[in-house]
Amino acid sequence: MIRCLIIDDEPFARQEVADLLDKHPDFVVLGQCGNAIEALQQINQHKPDLIFVDIQMPRINGMELIAMLNPEQMPRAVFITAFDEYAVKAFDNNAFDYLLKPIDEKRFNQTLDKVRSNMTPQPMENILPSQLAHLPCYIGSKLKVVTTTDVEFIVSDVGGIHVHSNKGVSHTQLTLKVLEEKTPLFRCHKQYLLSADAISEIEITDSGAEVTTHTGAKVPVSRRYLKELKQLLGFQ
């Protein structure tokens, strides 16, 4: 049984894929997501084998969503696009699975046959963004998109991953590892990532240093990361 998740901001487009999958009993739909934040939560929770993901979603598009996933838990992806010629050529050149809207059932069935024969996720470094412009976050039951440049620091604790920006505190399901690799933030402590632009003041301490951000927050800097921080800020 191949467990699937359908990700598209258009309800009718999601249902079209679901209806086509209904004709194939070896594929089961775990859920449908209308945006990247919902999708990230569902992927982390259900760990699907396969995702059908629309590229042209608002705020956080399908490519950004894929870039946010942990490579070690990456599902196989089938991209869905209404256009354009450049994207299709890129997919063809890299042998990625894609479907054009409106979806042709014969082509859809061919894609499923291809997936059945090989469930290994494709290497996507050539087409994915190297840096994330937005972070998928939530506050309680509300979903929120935080611009990466607004982030002062991120901290991990037993309660999760907390994103501190100049507009308040929210939470994300992205891992510190992904955030460190895909954003300009740098590690200053085993539990903290920090934006260099957020630094207002640095106080050297016995254990390393303490940074004060422009909003007045205090961020610890471990001794092992202090030299890197000084070099980043131009100090010897």
Side-chain angles (χ1 to χ4, degrees):
M1 192 71 70
I2 298 175
R3 302 157 64 251
C4 311
L5 200 63
I6 303 169
I7 307 161
D8 196 310
D9 61 302
E10 300 176 0
F12 291 113
R14 296 197 302 270
Q15 193 57 50
E16 179 184 19
V17 175
D19 290 342
L20 289 170
L21 285 171
D22 276 344
K23 302 177 182 180
H24 301 268
D26 54 331
F27 288 79
V28 58
V29 177
L30 300 175
Q32 300 182 20
C33 305
N35 58 63
I37 303 179
E38 292 177 359
L40 187 65
Q41 293 172 329
Q42 292 292 312
I43 291 170
N44 288 338
Q45 179 180 350
H46 296 298
K47 296 178 174 55
D49 305 307
L50 173 68
I51 58 174
F52 293 87
V53 56
D54 182 31
I55 297 175
Q56 293 87 20
M57 293 189 295
R59 300 300 296 274
I60 299 175
N61 64 40
M63 292 299 188
E64 288 181 301
L65 169 62
I66 298 293
M68 294 173 183
L69 300 181
N70 187 338
E72 298 172 359
Q73 298 178 340
M74 185 75 71
R76 185 166 180 99
V78 173
F79 296 101
I80 301 175
T81 180
F83 61 97
D84 58 22
E85 183 179 342
Y86 174 78
V88 170
K89 184 177 180 180
F91 293 152
D92 280 336
N93 289 344
N94 291 279
F96 293 116
D97 300 322
Y98 71 90
L99 296 166
L100 290 175
K101 294 180 179 180
I103 297 174
D104 176 77
E105 186 170 2
K106 182 178 179 180
R107 173 61 188 265
F108 184 85
N109 293 339
Q110 290 173 345
T111 298
L112 294 192
D113 286 339
K114 186 177 177 182
V115 169
R116 287 185 182 101
S117 65
N118 183 7
M119 284 298 298
T120 304
Q122 315 97 309
M124 300 186 189
E125 291 81 3
N126 291 341
I127 63 170
L128 295 183
S130 60
Q131 294 283 292
L132 299 176
H134 305 91
L135 303 183
C137 298
Y138 59 93
I139 301 175
S141 60
K142 295 182 179 179
L143 303 179
K144 182 178 181 180
V145 176
V146 177
T147 303
T148 306
T149 53
D150 289 337
V151 177
E152 286 198 334
F153 67 96
I154 298 175
V155 56
S156 171
D157 61 23
V158 293
I161 308 293
H162 314 291
V163 179
H164 293 251
S165 74
N166 52 28
K167 298 177 182 177
V169 182
S170 54
H171 317 283
T172 184
Q173 294 202 356
L174 296 181
T175 65
L176 277 187
K177 179 181 179 182
V178 168
L179 290 163
E180 184 178 10
E181 293 176 350
K182 297 287 186 176
T183 73
L185 279 72
F186 67 94
R187 190 174 291 273
C188 63
H189 184 280
K190 65 179 180 180
Q191 293 175 262
Y192 285 81
L193 299 178
L194 176 65
S195 168
D197 293 335
I199 298 174
S200 174
E201 185 178 288
I202 302 175
E203 180 181 356
I204 303 300
T205 66
D206 292 339
S207 59
E210 183 178 73
V211 165
T212 301
T213 70
H214 291 301
T215 61
K218 304 293 185 180
V219 178
V221 179
S222 300
R223 186 178 299 276
R224 64 176 295 192
Y225 297 109
L226 184 56
K227 181 178 179 180
E228 180 183 348
L229 174 61
K230 289 180 177 180
Q231 291 175 339
L232 184 67
L233 298 178
F235 296 107
Q236 298 301 320

